[in-house]
Amino acid sequence: MTNSTVPAPADAPGATARGPRFRQGAGRLSLDYVRTLRRRGTADVEEELPDGRALAAWVRQCGPCGDAEFAPPAEPVAAEARALREAVYALVTAALDGGGPAALRPEDRDLLNRVAAQPVPAPRLTAAGTLEQRAADPVAATLSLVARDALDLATSPALLARLRPCASPTCGALFLDHSRPGTRRWCSMDVCGNRAKKATLRARA
């Protein structure tokens, strides 16, 4: 994945006045990336990365190089990024289902390995004494972090024991349960958990 670093258009998508554009909070960068296919497995599935502009917006919001200036990547890069997302999903679900990483299709494994081999953002100390993350290609570097995170997650038994699918039948998200008892059911208590609570109250009424 290659992308020259040039100023982005003034109207490039990203956070909106209502808040962040993309959902976060799944507990791992790779799981947040998987959530860009919203309502996975349902009739209302929604693609949140349809083009390079949307991919650039995700990198700015969720990656470590959010304040870097770069142009949205071309469609072939965006298409490969979507393929990477599906490879990540295939890997973590294979690990969840008991087949393990060895059950992953060779083409998905090759894609994950190739993207993970790309350079990642490097720390840089500014004159103000703050730490920044910089990369020649912020998109490729952030996706490399996604791939590396997915490989680490899927090969770590302790982490896999905390990996959960959201209990909402209309969500399709995966999350890492960091709660002490390990009994978290929803990817977000504010969204899916709150909807389930309201549905229960309506049913009782």
Side-chain angles (χ1 to χ4, degrees):
M1 297 181 181
T2 59
N3 180 45
S4 58
T5 305
V6 297
D11 61 345
T16 68
R18 293 177 298 173
R21 173 175 176 174
F22 301 99
R23 295 170 299 164
Q24 295 176 265
R28 299 285 293 216
L29 181 64
S30 58
L31 298 180
D32 283 338
Y33 191 58
V34 164
R35 293 171 76 176
T36 59
L37 190 66
R38 189 183 288 262
R39 295 184 290 274
R40 180 186 293 272
T42 75
D44 298 319
V45 63
E46 178 184 348
E47 175 60 75
E48 294 186 333
L49 300 177
D51 51 34
R53 290 172 63 81
L55 175 60
W58 188 88
V59 168
R60 289 191 180 96
Q61 178 186 317
C62 303
C65 303
D67 58 347
E69 294 185 341
F70 58 93
E75 175 51 32
V77 176
E80 184 170 84
R82 292 190 294 270
L84 172 67
R85 179 191 61 202
E86 297 313 298
V88 169
Y89 180 74
L91 175 64
V92 295
T93 52
L96 262 183
D97 293 341
L104 191 66
R105 297 187 309 168
E107 54 266 39
D108 288 335
R109 182 178 66 246
D110 291 345
L111 176 58
L112 283 160
N113 288 338
R114 176 162 52 82
V115 176
Q118 296 298 310
V120 296
R124 174 179 176 271
L125 187 66
T126 70
T130 59
L131 197 62
E132 296 178 340
Q133 296 287 332
R134 286 289 179 262
D137 185 340
V139 173
T142 301
L143 293 180
S144 182
L145 289 177
V146 168
R148 294 181 187 203
D149 183 69
L151 295 175
D152 176 67
L153 174 61
T155 56
S156 301
L159 294 176
L160 287 176
R162 293 276 180 169
L163 189 59
R164 308 274 190 268
C166 182
S168 170
T170 61
C171 177
L174 298 168
F175 66 91
L176 207 60
D177 182 4
H178 291 296
S179 68
R180 180 172 295 180
T183 56
R184 180 178 159 190
R185 299 183 60 204
W186 317 106
C187 66
S188 168
M189 282 305 301
D190 292 337
V191 181
C192 291
N194 190 44
R195 288 173 182 167
K197 181 179 179 180
K198 290 180 178 179
T200 300
L201 291 174
R202 286 195 300 267
R204 289 175 178 172

